[in-house]
Amino acid sequence: MAEREIAQRLFAKEFNDSTLSLTTVTSYDIPDMNSPNLLISPTGVRINRIFVAGVITEVENLGSETGKERDLWKARISDPTGVFIVYAGQYQPEAAIFLSTVAVPSYVAVVGKARIYEPEKNSVFISIRPEEINSVESTVRDRWVLDTAELTLKRLDLLSEIFFEKMHGEDLAGSLRSKGIDPESCEAILDAIAFYGTDQDYISKFKQSVRKALLSIKENAGSETQQRDNAENVIFELLKELDSGKGVQYSCLLKEAKSQGIPEEVADAVIRSLLAKGECYEPRLGVLKLI
């Protein structure tokens, strides 16, 4: 049995720039073949399968437009550097069902096959055919961004070393092997440099994109913390206002919190936090009272 390719982590920017293909798909809705569909990225990653996490911002049913008997779904999943395009049709039934019902926007994670579609010369479209797609929490997306940033920066640093050493051909291949890089990866890096003309300018701009991606995680974390603190303050004040001396019904507190724009799941989490911190208690089941 052939060994399964690793699901690579790449930002949308690099994935969409990966136009060096060892095999090409010439139809939108073709079944997966036994031979791997390989792309080489500008930093020298061999891509057959890919793992991404981001916000699903748009879902469209292309079935009627393509004349297919079964629906073909197209989705856009954004990360801090760009957008992944995902297609799911008759050969990805579970993914197609998921896309037909998923809430937009929401966080999702996808493992799938990389596909390059070239309808005509100098016209290239990169996409993902999902093997698995699921809804996830924002923390999963944030962890993916951190891991992908680390891997990307390591590759960019390696390319910087290559240009600094000013090696070519077999000398460069020997230098890469001496750094512990396997032969397939060495070949992919050499192919990427030759095909894309990757240079220090590309590396510098890509590093800036990665830094912005990392900063977006910090901003999101700060925003979520502020929202949680605001919700806690509102619920704390509601407990004081609504308590006539015998405590506040849990259901009544949730209703009042919702009227002030706090979702039920957030209010419930805040109430549990207040209980855990000892700032309120339950004198009887379903009733809350401040300490």
Side-chain angles (χ1 to χ4, degrees):
M1 182 181 293
E3 186 176 341
R4 202 176 197 192
E5 291 276 346
I6 294 172
Q8 305 285 1
R9 288 171 167 81
L10 283 87
F11 284 120
K13 170 181 170 53
E14 182 170 6
F15 181 67
N16 291 325
D17 286 345
S18 301
T19 55
L20 174 54
S21 175
L22 303 185
T23 53
T24 300
V25 171
T26 56
S27 169
Y28 266 123
D29 203 22
I30 189 170
D32 291 341
M33 300 301 173
N34 292 327
S35 59
N37 183 57
L38 289 173
L39 304 178
I40 304 297
S41 82
T43 64
V45 180
R46 288 166 50 92
I47 315 164
N48 172 230
R49 300 172 67 244
I50 184 169
F51 167 51
V52 307
V55 180
I56 189 164
T57 60
E58 183 181 336
V59 177
E60 182 181 2
N61 186 353
L62 302 178
S64 59
E65 296 180 14
T66 59
K68 301 286 183 183
E69 292 183 4
R70 299 187 183 185
D71 291 339
L72 175 63
W73 293 89
K74 175 184 178 182
R76 294 168 63 88
I77 299 173
S78 67
D79 76 2
T81 73
V83 174
F84 297 97
I85 301 298
V86 175
Y87 289 101
Q90 60 179 313
Y91 300 106
Q92 303 82 27
E94 293 182 0
I97 292 171
F98 176 89
L99 292 179
S100 71
T101 58
V102 67
V104 177
S106 61
Y107 293 108
V108 297
V110 182
V111 175
K113 294 286 187 68
R115 284 290 179 261
I116 181 168
Y117 173 56
E118 298 184 56
E120 56 189 35
K121 189 176 181 180
N122 298 323
S123 179
V124 177
F125 299 93
I126 309 297
S127 65
I128 300 173
R129 283 307 176 113
E131 298 172 341
E132 186 175 348
I133 180 169
N134 295 294
S135 296
V136 297
E137 299 294 328
S138 62
T139 51
V140 174
R141 190 284 309 268
D142 292 351
R143 184 72 255 175
W144 178 86
V145 171
L146 292 172
D147 290 344
T148 305
E150 181 181 3
L151 293 168
T152 303
L153 289 172
K154 283 183 178 178
R155 296 195 302 272
L156 292 173
D157 286 342
L158 175 62
L159 288 174
S160 290
E161 288 182 26
I162 289 172
F163 295 130
F164 180 76
E165 293 171 352
K166 296 182 179 179
M167 291 185 179
H168 303 280
E170 187 54 40
D171 289 339
L172 175 53
S175 176
L176 291 173
R177 288 193 292 269
S178 71
K179 298 177 189 295
I181 299 173
D182 63 86
E184 279 192 346
S185 296
C186 286
E187 183 178 353
I189 291 170
L190 294 172
D191 287 344
I193 293 172
F195 181 82
Y196 297 105
T198 305
D199 56 18
Q200 288 287 11
D201 184 55
Y202 176 87
I203 293 169
S204 177
K205 289 180 179 178
F206 199 173
K207 282 187 175 181
Q208 290 178 16
S209 295
V210 174
R211 291 190 186 101
K212 288 180 181 178
L214 292 171
L215 287 173
S216 74
I217 297 302
K218 291 182 180 180
E219 291 169 359
N220 288 339
S223 176
E224 290 174 4
T225 299
Q226 184 178 3
Q227 290 174 6
R228 176 65 176 264
D229 289 344
N230 291 340
E232 186 170 305
N233 290 335
V234 169
I235 289 173
F236 193 88
E237 291 301 318
L238 285 174
L239 280 169
K240 287 196 296 185
E241 292 173 12
L242 299 174
D243 189 357
S244 60
K246 296 182 179 180
V248 182
Q249 289 285 339
Y250 173 78
S251 57
C252 178
L253 183 58
L254 287 183
K255 182 178 179 180
E256 289 297 321
K258 186 175 181 180
S259 72
Q260 298 200 32
I262 301 174
E264 183 174 314
E265 61 271 18
V266 174
D268 179 70
V270 168
I271 292 167
R272 292 177 185 276
S273 175
L274 291 173
L275 286 167
K277 291 189 290 186
E279 296 187 22
C280 68
Y281 69 106
E282 287 185 288
R284 60 185 185 276
L285 187 63
V287 175
L288 298 162
K289 194 172 180 63
L290 289 173
I291 298 297

